[in-house]
Amino acid sequence: MVVSSEASMPLEKIAAESSTILWYQVFAEGDLSAVRAKMNQAVKSGCKAICITTGVPFRKAQASSGPAKLAALSRPAANWDIVDQMRKGINVPVLIKGIMTPEEAEAAVKRGVQGIVVSNYGGLLTPGMASSMEMLPSIADAVAGKVPVLIDGSFRRGSDILKALAYGATAVMIGRPLAWGLAAYGPEGAQQVLEMLQTEVARDMAHTGKPTLRDIDRTLVKLQEV
C-alpha cells in the first residue's frame, strides 16, 4: 500500500495496524524541509520506499486534421534539483511519480532514481490529457529494464492490467476500485476487489496463451490513435 502524505489517518497509526508493506507518497512542492521531515518519519515508521510525485499533466494536442498527435504543451520537465534535495539521505528506494515522457524517464534513471511511476496526475480533471497507457510503451523502451516501471490511471479490470504488463509495466497501481470495495463492504470488499482483479488477470492470460508473466509481450495489444 502506498500511503499518501494527505491521508486522513496518521501514517504512524496506519503502520502500527498494518501487516502489509507500506510505501509513502509525498509531493514535490511547498516547504521542502517539512516534506523531508515527513519522509524521514515515514522511514522510521517502517515504510520501505518513498514515492515523490512531481510535474503537471501532459497535454495532448489536437491536430487540425487526421489522428490526434501527442505534444508537450505546458508540462515543464521535472525539477531534478528539488528531487535531489528531497531524497538526499533517504536510505530506502525512491521512486518518481508523474513521469510522462521518455526524456523524463531517461533523466530519472541517470539521476539514480530506483523506480518510476507513469502517471498523468490530475489528468482526469482536465480534458485533452494523454493517458498514462498511451505513454507507457515509449517510456518502458527508454528505461530498458534499468529500473521498475509502475503505472496508474483508471485500471478497472484484469484485462487493463494485462495490457499494461504487455506494454512493459513492472506493476500496476490500483486506487479507486479498492475505495469502492471498501465503501461497499468494508475491508472484505477491498480484499475481494484485489482477488477479483488477480483472478481476471490469470483468466485473461490463459485465454491469450500466456501461462507466465514472462510470456506477456506486446503482441497481445495494439494501441489505435483516434
Side-chain angles (χ1 to χ4, degrees), residues 28-46:
E29 60 186 17
D31 183 348
L32 293 187
S33 296
V35 175
R36 278 184 50 80
K38 289 181 179 180
M39 294 167 62
N40 285 314
Q41 183 58 44
V43 174
K44 291 179 181 178
S45 297

Side-chain angles (χ1 to χ4, degrees), residues 2-24:
V2 183
V3 182
S4 171
S5 58
E6 297 183 355
S8 58
M9 297 292 292
L11 171 63
E12 293 77 11
K13 182 175 177 61
I14 296 173
E17 299 186 12
S18 175
S19 59
T20 191
I21 293 175
L22 299 179
W23 293 5
Y24 190 60

Side-chain angles (χ1 to χ4, degrees), residues 1-225:
M1 177 181 175
V2 183
V3 182
S4 171
S5 58
E6 297 183 355
S8 58
M9 297 292 292
L11 171 63
E12 293 77 11
K13 182 175 177 61
I14 296 173
E17 299 186 12
S18 175
S19 59
T20 191
I21 293 175
L22 299 179
W23 293 5
Y24 190 60
Q25 178 195 9
V26 295
F27 296 86
E29 60 186 17
D31 183 348
L32 293 187
S33 296
V35 175
R36 278 184 50 80
K38 289 181 179 180
M39 294 167 62
N40 285 314
Q41 183 58 44
V43 174
K44 291 179 181 178
S45 297
C47 289
K48 302 301 183 182
I50 300 293
C51 187
I52 299 176
T53 299
T54 184
V56 297
F58 183 63
R59 284 198 172 275
K60 181 167 63 176
Q62 196 72 26
S64 57
S65 62
K69 296 185 181 298
L70 300 177
L73 295 185
S74 62
R75 177 185 173 86
N79 189 326
W80 294 114
D81 290 338
I82 291 178
V83 170
D84 288 342
Q85 291 179 46
M86 292 177 67
R87 66 192 183 102
K88 186 177 181 180
I90 299 296
N91 59 3
V92 298
V94 174
L95 297 87
I96 302 299
K97 179 179 178 181
I99 298 297
M100 280 293 285
T101 69
E103 293 77 16
E104 289 178 346
E106 291 173 347
V109 172
K110 289 179 180 178
R111 287 275 177 164
V113 170
Q114 286 89 0
I116 66 171
V117 182
V118 183
S119 175
N120 67 342
Y121 190 82
L124 292 177
L125 303 178
T126 307
M129 296 298 169
S131 71
S132 52
M133 185 71 89
E134 286 178 294
M135 303 308 300
L136 175 60
S138 60
I139 291 174
D141 288 344
V143 171
K146 297 182 180 69
V147 299
V149 176
L150 286 71
I151 184 172
D152 73 357
S154 300
F155 288 91
R156 303 290 184 261
R157 303 177 179 87
S159 57
D160 297 333
I161 296 171
L162 183 59
K163 293 171 189 175
L165 297 177
Y167 271 150
T170 309
V172 172
M173 304 177 79
I174 306 296
R176 286 178 178 82
L178 289 176
W180 296 334
L182 183 65
Y185 300 109
E188 293 79 9
Q191 181 68 25
Q192 184 175 352
V193 167
L194 284 175
E195 292 176 355
M196 180 175 65
L197 290 172
Q198 289 176 319
T199 299
E200 289 177 354
V201 171
R203 177 202 63 198
D204 294 339
M205 288 173 61
H207 285 171
T208 55
K210 305 295 182 182
T212 72
L213 293 175
R214 291 183 179 180
D215 294 317
I216 298 172
D217 57 31
R218 294 186 187 178
T219 61
L220 287 179
V221 291
K222 180 179 180 181
L223 183 64
Q224 292 183 328
E225 291 185 339

